[in-house]
Each structure stands twice: as C-alpha cells, then as structure tokens.
Amino acid sequence: MNGVLTSHSPSYPPPRMAQDGPSLSEQMTALPVATLVVKPDNSIAEANVRAETLLNMARSAIVGSDVARTIRIAEAGARFDIWHSNKPIAAYDIKVHAGRTAEMEVDLMIAPIVDHDGWRVVSLHAQSQARKIGHRGSAGGARSAMGAAAILAHEIKNPLSGIRGAAQLLEGGQGGRDAALTQLICNEVDRIAALIDRMQDFTTDRTLECQAGNIYPLIDRAAGIAAAGFAKHIKIIKHYDPSLPFANINDDALVQVMINLLKNAAEALEHVAKPRIRVETAFRHGVSVVVGDGKGSAVLPIEILVIDNGPGVPEHILDHLFNPFITGKRDGQGLGLALVDKLVRDMSGFVQYSRDVEAGESTFRILLPMGMG
C-alpha cells in the first residue's frame, strides 16, 4: 500500500492538503457523522470523534479491533453480506450492537476506497436518515393515507365508468377521427380504475405482481401524458441508456410513479422562467441495499432520474417528504410522493430525493431490481 493508507499504521499520516488547509486527520475529526476506516482484514485503522461517542469507546480501543465485533449486526447471516463485500452497501434501519452501547437502529454506509483493494470507509447514522432520503423501513406512512383513499375510491370509480363509455361513443361517432385521443382516454380510465383497486388494498401486504419489462415505453407513456397536459409548456429532455436491461416492474405502477414525479416537477417549475425537466436512466454497478430481517442485500442496478430546475423542496418538510398529507404546495394534497414511495417499494425498489444547490436542480432517484428471465 502507498499514499494515505498503509497496512503498517493504524492512523492517518499528517500531510496537509494545502499550505494553510486542514490536515487529513483534522478533516476526519471534523466529520459530522461517526466514521471508521477499515482495512482488508476487517481491522479498524481509524475512527473519528463522533465514532468514539457513538460506540462509547476510546479511539485507542476502537483502532485495531475487528469491525464485525465492534459493530455487531443483529440479523443472522448479515456479516457475509456486509463485511465481506467489495461493493458499496447502504443498510437502512438496521439493528446493531455498536461498541459498548445497547442495541440501536442505524443507517450504515460502506464505501470501498478507490485504488486500495479491501479498504473501506464505514459511516454510522444513529438517527435514521432513511426517512430523509425516501427509503422507509415500513409502510406505516403510506398506509395511514389509505383510510381516506378507501372512502374516495367508490365515488371516483363511478364517474370513471361514465367517462370511459362517453369516450367510446365519441370514437364511434367521429368515424375513426381522433381515435388515438379517445383510446388514450379509455386507457387512462382503465389504469386509474386499476390503481384505485390497488389503493384499496394498501393496508394489506399483498404482493404487487412484477415481471421483467422494458421501462422505456412506460416512461415515454408517462412523458406523453405530461406533455399533453400538466407539462405542456415545459421542455422534457430524455437521456436514455440504450443498453439498459429489463427491470423487474409492474407496468401500471411504474407509469403512475413517473406521472406523479413529472407532475411534482412541473408544479415546482410554475414560476421558473426557463423550466425544464430531464428524465435520465443508467445502469449502476455495485449498488445494493440491505433489506433486513435476515434477507441479505438487494441489488438495484436500474436507475431512473427525474430532474428539474425548480427551487427544491422546502427545508421544513424534508424529513417527512414521503409521508402522506405532507406538501409544500398551497393547494397540494400531499399524496403523490407517498404513493410513489409505496409503489416503488412494492416493486422492491428504492426512491430518494436530493438537491444540487450549485446546479440549482432537484433530483428524484429511483433504483429498481433487474428483471430475470
């Protein structure tokens, strides 16, 4: 080993990044989260002050100890998934025995250090960040909205059948003209009716039927609906990875997720001079999430991004962004993102929000499993 990390010393050397800048050890000390540097043999090479506090151990006791003994995963079989993996891992709401503290629930992030095989940086967030970035460990938030949804479902489905019948009459009376538009009405009525049926079952653990499928026709369908309606004055830019494999998805659920995110972006751009929405896809190698309950880690390589140049989510609702009835809009209902979260989780996926202040852009990121077969 060369450079900053060596296999002979348990601590960082003190080189300075710039003449008057902080040393690497000073930066490590200042990190606001508990952080460890782990060697290829799983021994801890460095720990910052926050790690000492969280683990209730002195740095001298932490450095040199086995990370798997210092951070003991409560779920059986998790050690192989976490400590013997060379991939980036995010373990949300996982129960651990950390140092000399009692069992606690944390978010645990492991990031391999580039060009240093086996070396990793481990960070521990004692107060769950999963709720901030959109990956809830349970469906409690979305389920609390389903009482209202069940009340509305019957009243909504009655006029839907009338709308569908009217569209079919229009199609027959126009001699085939505008057939595409009337068919669009029928298709959307059928989709909404199916969605309402699904919403009525949100309080159950019924599995959403998913299969390997091409995400692009579904994204295009959602973008077409947006361009014909709520986003007709907004430029929607698509950057697709042409080599992307099939994802494990439910078609109607993914269309609804994309419509909700595009509508959310369009509403955020209401007062922006040059509004734009970008939809991007990519394949992310090595992205996995520990699902807990002894199930190991889930690989989520299919990435979909919905990016807008609006003002971003208000700071005061970030912690509860994906909870129902939480909204920063004057006339908002606060159900759109809660439904996005629910449907993405039903597809064994992951959704998160981030803000790039420098670029002036907000991003909703969806990660989905790859389709098999």
Side-chain angles (χ1 to χ4, degrees):
M1 287 285 179
N2 51 29
V4 172
L5 300 173
T6 72
S7 58
H8 304 292
S9 172
S11 60
Y12 283 101
R16 308 194 75 83
M17 292 186 64
Q19 186 174 355
D20 297 319
S23 68
L24 202 53
S25 61
E26 289 169 335
Q27 294 179 58
M28 180 82 169
T29 300
L31 287 175
V33 296
T35 305
L36 307 171
V37 178
V38 180
K39 296 181 182 181
D41 64 359
N42 273 349
S43 64
I44 298 173
E46 185 58 278
N48 69 352
V49 173
R50 289 296 182 99
E52 292 183 76
T53 302
L54 181 66
L55 300 176
N56 193 24
M57 295 172 64
R59 178 182 172 278
S60 58
I62 299 172
V63 171
S65 66
D66 186 331
V67 68
R69 293 179 179 273
T70 303
I71 304 172
R72 302 178 299 285
I73 310 300
E75 289 144 354
R79 172 175 173 142
F80 175 81
D81 289 332
I82 291 179
W83 303 123
H84 291 151
S85 174
N86 60 356
K87 298 177 180 179
I89 289 178
Y92 296 107
D93 299 328
I94 191 170
K95 290 181 172 59
V96 301
H97 298 275
R100 298 192 179 109
T101 61
E103 181 180 293
M104 66 174 71
E105 194 170 82
V106 301
D107 295 343
L108 186 150
M109 313 287 183
I110 303 176
I113 299 177
V114 178
D115 296 330
H116 295 275
D117 289 344
W119 288 81
R120 291 144 288 163
V121 173
V122 176
S123 64
L124 288 159
H125 304 256
Q127 295 181 352
S128 176
Q129 300 298 308
R131 291 170 180 82
K132 289 187 177 182
I133 63 175
H135 185 70
R136 263 64 46 207
S138 69
R143 284 175 179 169
S144 68
M146 291 310 111
I151 295 171
L152 292 172
H154 178 72
E155 297 303 319
I156 293 174
K157 289 178 76 174
N158 281 340
L160 281 179
S161 61
I163 293 170
R164 195 183 199 287
Q168 290 174 320
L169 288 174
L170 282 173
E171 184 176 9
Q174 294 293 324
R177 290 180 299 166
D178 299 326
L181 289 176
T182 53
Q183 187 59 51
L184 175 64
I185 294 172
C186 290
N187 289 342
E188 284 306 291
V189 167
D190 290 344
R191 183 185 61 79
I192 294 169
L195 176 64
I196 291 173
D197 288 338
R198 175 64 183 164
M199 289 176 68
Q200 289 176 305
D201 293 332
F202 265 13
T203 54
T204 73
D205 293 324
R206 183 169 66 88
T207 302
L208 187 65
E209 293 183 7
C210 297
Q211 60 185 5
N214 185 353
I215 65 172
Y216 292 134
L218 307 175
I219 296 176
D220 287 342
R221 178 178 167 187
I225 292 169
F230 56 81
K232 61 184 175 182
H233 300 303
I234 299 173
K235 185 176 184 180
I236 299 178
I237 305 164
K238 303 173 188 175
H239 292 155
Y240 290 168
D241 179 349
S243 63
L244 204 66
F246 281 5
N248 192 47
I249 52 174
N250 176 280
D251 288 5
D252 286 344
L254 184 58
V255 169
Q256 188 63 50
V257 164
M258 293 304 300
I259 288 174
N260 283 19
L261 291 180
L262 289 168
K263 191 172 191 296
N264 185 78
E267 291 173 348
L269 295 169
E270 183 179 358
H271 301 296
V272 175
K274 295 181 179 180
R276 67 179 183 274
I277 299 172
R278 295 202 318 276
V279 180
E280 302 181 357
T281 65
F283 189 89
R284 296 300 178 193
H285 295 275
V287 176
S288 57
V289 176
V290 174
V291 295
D293 298 326
K295 297 178 182 177
S297 60
V299 179
L300 306 174
I302 309 297
E303 179 184 73
I304 305 172
L305 304 178
V306 178
I307 305 166
D308 69 74
N309 63 328
V313 174
E315 185 73 25
H316 69 279
I317 66 170
L318 276 177
D319 287 359
H320 311 285
L321 181 59
F322 292 90
N323 289 349
F325 309 119
I326 300 297
T327 179
K329 304 162 192 169
R330 180 180 302 174
D331 300 321
Q333 301 299 315
L335 292 175
L337 292 180
L339 185 57
V340 166
D341 172 56
K342 172 64 177 175
L343 294 176
V344 170
R345 282 190 291 104
D346 281 352
M347 292 185 284
S348 300
F350 174 100
V351 58
Q352 67 184 109
Y353 167 82
S354 63
R355 177 72 180 171
D356 186 333
V357 177
E358 186 174 338
E361 293 182 333
S362 298
T363 299
F364 282 89
R365 181 191 192 202
I366 300 169
L367 293 171
L368 294 169
M370 189 166 60
M372 300 298 177

